[in-house]
Amino acid sequence: MRNKILDILKNQQREEFVSGESISQALSITRAAVWKQIQGLKEAGYEIEGQTKKGYRLVKIPCAIDLWALQQELRTQALGRQLFLFEELPSTNDRIKDMARQGGEHGTVVIAKRQTIGHGRMQRVWESPDGGLWLSLLLKPRLSLGDAAKLTLSAGVALAQTLQDLYRLEVRIKWPNDIVIQGRKIAGILGEVAGEWNTVQTLILGIGVNANFSGQTLSPKIPAITLQDILGHEVNLNHLTAELLFNLEKEVQSLEQGDVQGLIQRWTSFAVGINRPVRIEKAGISYGGIFKGIRENGELVLDQEGQEITFSSGEVSLRAEEQYSPE
Ligand code: BT5
């Protein structure tokens, strides 16, 4: 009912006001029921002007994630066409893994307004207060096992590109997959395999973006930043999500067409510390050298006095020598 009212208000937007009477007739509900729905929409962040004689007019859709608003913005073929929104979840990655086990479709998206036990790599905690974008995707790409693993790089590129395009920010990717702005982590990506690789390849991508809340909400020990901190205002999470899914779909398609080199190039163009001195911490040992880039399999290549050493993600962390960067 709620979405039908929004459809009517949207379709009539040019004529400005829609009378309560015509909404009640179109949907066969009472005027009081229309009024109640409108109140609910206002509480959800929709700006709706009401005038006694004229009726209602949709002025602004909310910045907070909202299924109807997000569906208006979606430009994808598959990603987000199955969309689930929750007020709160322990972790969107865990929920979508359950869906994957039950045969969830390629492109299914789960979003939660907040997470109680969001996680990062190696069971690290991912703090996920209200106002962030906490999203997981189920992907069944037409890719080999090795190439599917590159999708976390694709997600990094899609997210960096989206933040740069929408908000004109200088965005960097810190290997393997931290998205940083002004040297601080604004978003993280978690790629996980769900189910049997041999039967159906199912990959879970979890994406967390610090958006409409202050970085001070997070534990002080986390060197994070949020879009709100940088821009000084809230962003429309529906628009952000739609653009992110659009860019990610393009990246998935380009990988399916075999353009690994294009992906590596785009990833490298965002990377922190390329051709610069960096330190790699691995199992308590610190390796210094020049960060030469990444291999096709995502491994980092370090030049140590003319000798190339490679590191795979998971076990190591990178520190750019010239810039303070998070874990
Ligand atoms: C990541 O892990 O960066 C991947 C984060 C993925 C989160 C998404 S949200 C939707 C989906 N559902 C989930 O449960 N997870 C995914 P990692 O590279 O391991 O970084 C974790 C580290 O980042 C922590 O140890 C903290 O130091 C730091 N951290 C925690 N919360 C943060 C936040 N909100 N912003 C910036 N840094 C944070």
Side-chain angles (χ1 to χ4, degrees):
M1 193 54 73
R2 169 189 194 275
N3 290 357
K4 283 185 186 155
I5 291 181
L6 284 167
D7 288 337
I8 293 176
L9 290 176
K10 188 189 168 213
N11 290 337
Q12 300 275 316
Q13 232 169 359
R14 261 191 237 117
E15 289 166 39
E16 303 258 298
F17 286 88
V18 191
S19 71
E21 182 60 36
S22 62
I23 299 176
S24 85
Q25 273 174 10
L27 302 177
S28 307
I29 56 173
T30 62
R31 294 277 299 274
V34 173
W35 184 85
K36 211 168 156 215
Q37 290 287 342
I38 299 275
Q39 295 317 108
L41 287 168
K42 285 182 179 169
E43 274 160 30
Y46 283 89
E47 235 177 83
I48 297 172
E49 193 185 339
Q51 282 198 11
T52 334
K53 290 214 175 104
K54 292 181 172 170
Y56 301 105
R57 186 170 75 97
L58 179 58
V59 180
K60 209 169 150 232
I61 60 173
C63 278
I65 284 282
D66 177 273
L67 276 190
W68 183 87
L70 178 49
Q71 270 149 2
Q72 307 304 304
E73 303 259 8
L74 268 189
R75 298 195 280 144
T76 48
Q77 286 164 6
L79 303 199
R81 292 292 158 190
Q82 285 283 337
L83 193 58
F84 299 90
L85 174 63
F86 296 86
E87 285 297 311
E88 181 178 295
L89 278 180
S91 153
T92 54
N93 260 40
D94 293 350
R95 172 54 64 102
I96 212 162
K97 255 186 262 171
D98 290 343
M99 291 182 177
R101 277 183 215 112
Q102 288 155 19
E105 274 177 38
H106 169 72
T108 303
V109 167
V110 169
I111 299 175
K113 291 192 177 169
R114 56 185 171 276
Q115 298 183 115
T116 48
I117 37 172
H119 45 83
R121 293 173 301 144
M122 295 169 285
Q123 295 311 312
R124 291 183 193 138
V125 171
W126 182 261
E127 297 190 14
S128 319
D130 268 312
L133 176 60
W134 320 124
L135 170 154
S136 294
L137 260 163
L138 190 164
L139 295 174
K140 294 180 177 173
R142 290 174 303 232
L143 292 171
S144 67
L145 171 60
D147 281 348
K150 297 183 182 68
L151 282 170
T152 51
L153 298 176
S154 308
V157 170
L159 183 50
Q161 192 68 54
T162 305
L163 296 176
Q164 181 173 286
D165 292 349
L166 288 184
Y167 314 117
R168 304 274 153 230
L169 296 170
E170 201 175 305
V171 187
R172 291 275 166 264
I173 302 177
K174 192 170 80 70
W175 184 86
N177 248 327
D178 288 352
I179 307 295
V180 292
I181 295 182
Q182 299 171 7
R184 290 172 164 254
K185 187 160 170 176
I186 193 150
I189 293 159
L190 176 66
E192 297 184 277
V193 173
E196 289 292 324
W197 276 98
N198 301 339
T199 49
V200 186
Q201 292 176 6
T202 305
L203 188 89
I204 304 299
L205 275 182
I207 299 177
V209 185
N210 297 334
N212 298 339
F213 61 90
S214 157
Q216 287 174 353
T217 318
L218 302 172
S219 313
K221 61 180 191 313
I222 298 180
I225 199 162
T226 72
L227 287 172
Q228 187 178 296
D229 290 339
I230 302 166
L231 301 170
H233 58 79
E234 291 196 344
V235 299
N236 186 327
L237 290 184
N238 302 296
H239 192 50
L240 169 58
T241 307
E243 289 307 294
L244 170 61
L245 293 176
F246 181 73
N247 285 329
L248 185 53
E249 189 163 84
K250 279 199 300 193
E251 288 296 333
V252 174
Q253 285 165 353
S254 120
L255 208 51
E256 285 179 336
Q257 284 153 15
D259 186 18
V260 179
Q261 276 316 311
L263 169 63
I264 303 286
Q265 255 172 31
R266 289 190 289 283
W267 189 91
T268 307
S269 73
F270 284 111
V272 172
I274 288 281
N275 291 324
R276 303 249 170 217
V278 295
R279 296 208 79 76
I280 305 289
E281 314 288 338
K282 178 181 172 185
I285 304 171
S286 177
Y287 300 80
I290 305 294
F291 179 13
K292 298 308 286 181
I294 53 169
R295 292 240 160 96
E296 282 201 355
N297 61 6
E299 283 178 352
L300 177 146
V301 182
L302 191 72
D303 182 327
Q304 249 193 347
E305 290 161 14
Q307 261 211 321
E308 285 195 348
I309 328 177
T310 58
F311 296 87
S312 61
S313 67
E315 50 186 48
V316 296
S317 69
L318 173 145
R319 282 172 202 281
E321 300 251 294
E322 293 148 331
Q323 187 185 24
Y324 175 68
S325 21
E327 195 182 326

